[in-house]
Amino acid sequence: MEAETLALAQEMDFSLWALFARATLIVKLVMLMLIIASFWAWSIIIQKLIVYRKARVEADVFDRRFWSGDPLDELFDEIGSDPAGQSERVFAAGMMEWRRSHRNDGGLIAGATARIDRSMDVAIAKESKNLQSGLTILASIGSVTPFIGLFGTVWGIMNAFIEIAEQQNTNLAVVAPGIAEALLATGLGLLAAIPAVIFYNKLSADCDGIVASYEAFADEFATILSRQLDS
């Protein structure tokens, strides 16, 4: 009897596709949901890595131009009021408010420094929002998919026990396929969750670092304008 059971178990296909094909409809839907979530997470990860790398390069290039010693008015005229780079947009926000704060006679309207600071803060907040877009989805995938996989596992094991009760048979050939199909759901949940959590932490730190560099630049720029106001 044991030899016959072992032979039946060896004849079964335990490949991933076979386990998916034998699963119940609910478990199949759970697996498909987890596969889609995994691809969604990786698409966000890759897109954010590219965006953050581009933002750092752009900030370095602009920083060199800003501290090159060229007049700030010429730099602003060159990049325009709606530049493509994030650092350039923060700079443009401050320069536009700087120019609006001048009266026709060349004097400055009172409160120019506060308005310039607020303009750059608003620009930084917009850039921060754009940089953070998608990270919430990544965090949700990392926290939810293990439980979705666990639900698929519980459902699969429940059906495996129902099949055991119906067949009145607890040998390996009956038990193993159902348990394997159920555990595949948990594996897919972890496969989606682990990279999502790891890269969420990394990307959040990268985003905070980029935004901090914009805030530092805004403080330095405001200091330069404040010196010109005092003089």
Side-chain angles (χ1 to χ4, degrees):
M1 186 65 178
E2 292 183 0
E4 182 181 350
T5 301
L6 183 59
L8 288 172
Q10 289 175 344
E11 290 175 1
M12 286 188 173
D13 186 0
F14 286 96
S15 65
L16 295 180
W17 173 250
L19 292 174
F20 175 82
R22 285 198 302 264
T24 61
L25 178 61
I26 297 297
V27 178
K28 284 180 180 177
L29 291 176
V30 167
M31 291 180 183
L32 287 174
M33 190 183 303
L34 293 172
I35 291 171
I36 292 171
S38 182
F39 278 107
W40 194 4
W42 277 108
S43 67
I44 294 173
I45 290 168
I46 294 171
Q47 187 256 346
K48 286 300 173 185
L49 288 174
I50 294 172
V51 168
Y52 289 176
R53 182 180 182 279
K54 183 179 177 181
R56 285 191 290 266
V57 171
E58 183 272 331
D60 290 340
V61 171
F62 177 75
D63 196 56
R64 288 193 294 270
R65 293 175 63 190
F66 180 82
W67 296 107
S68 63
D70 295 334
L72 297 182
D73 285 323
E74 293 182 6
L75 179 58
F76 177 64
D77 292 336
E78 181 181 344
I79 67 174
S81 60
D82 188 22
Q86 291 94 331
S87 297
E88 293 175 346
R89 285 196 286 268
V90 176
F91 168 73
M95 283 300 297
M96 283 190 293
E97 187 57 41
W98 165 260
R99 290 188 173 182
R100 292 193 194 104
S101 297
H102 283 79
R103 296 194 300 265
N104 293 332
D105 60 0
L108 280 170
I109 302 173
T113 302
R115 288 194 302 274
I116 292 170
D117 287 338
R118 282 197 299 270
S119 297
M120 288 191 290
D121 288 342
V122 170
I124 292 172
K126 290 179 180 178
E127 299 307 323
S128 176
K129 183 179 179 180
N130 292 333
L131 290 171
Q132 291 175 353
S133 64
L135 294 184
T136 303
I137 296 173
L138 202 60
S140 299
I141 292 173
S143 60
V144 170
T145 49
F147 296 102
I148 296 175
L150 182 60
F151 168 75
T153 297
V154 171
W155 190 274
I157 291 176
M158 180 184 69
N159 282 281
F161 280 116
I162 291 173
E163 187 175 355
I164 291 170
E166 289 175 348
Q167 297 188 17
Q168 295 295 314
N169 191 347
T170 58
N171 64 42
L172 183 63
V174 174
V175 176
I179 301 298
E181 295 156 17
L183 292 176
L184 179 59
T186 297
L188 290 174
L190 294 175
L191 188 65
I194 292 172
V197 171
I198 291 173
F199 278 98
Y200 171 77
N201 293 330
K202 172 185 166 39
L203 293 172
S204 295
D206 290 347
C207 180
D208 291 342
I210 293 171
V211 173
S213 69
Y214 296 157
E215 292 173 346
F217 166 76
D219 291 340
E220 292 172 343
F221 184 36
T223 301
I224 293 172
L225 295 181
S226 178
R227 291 196 195 101
Q228 294 189 16
L229 288 171
D230 294 340
S231 61

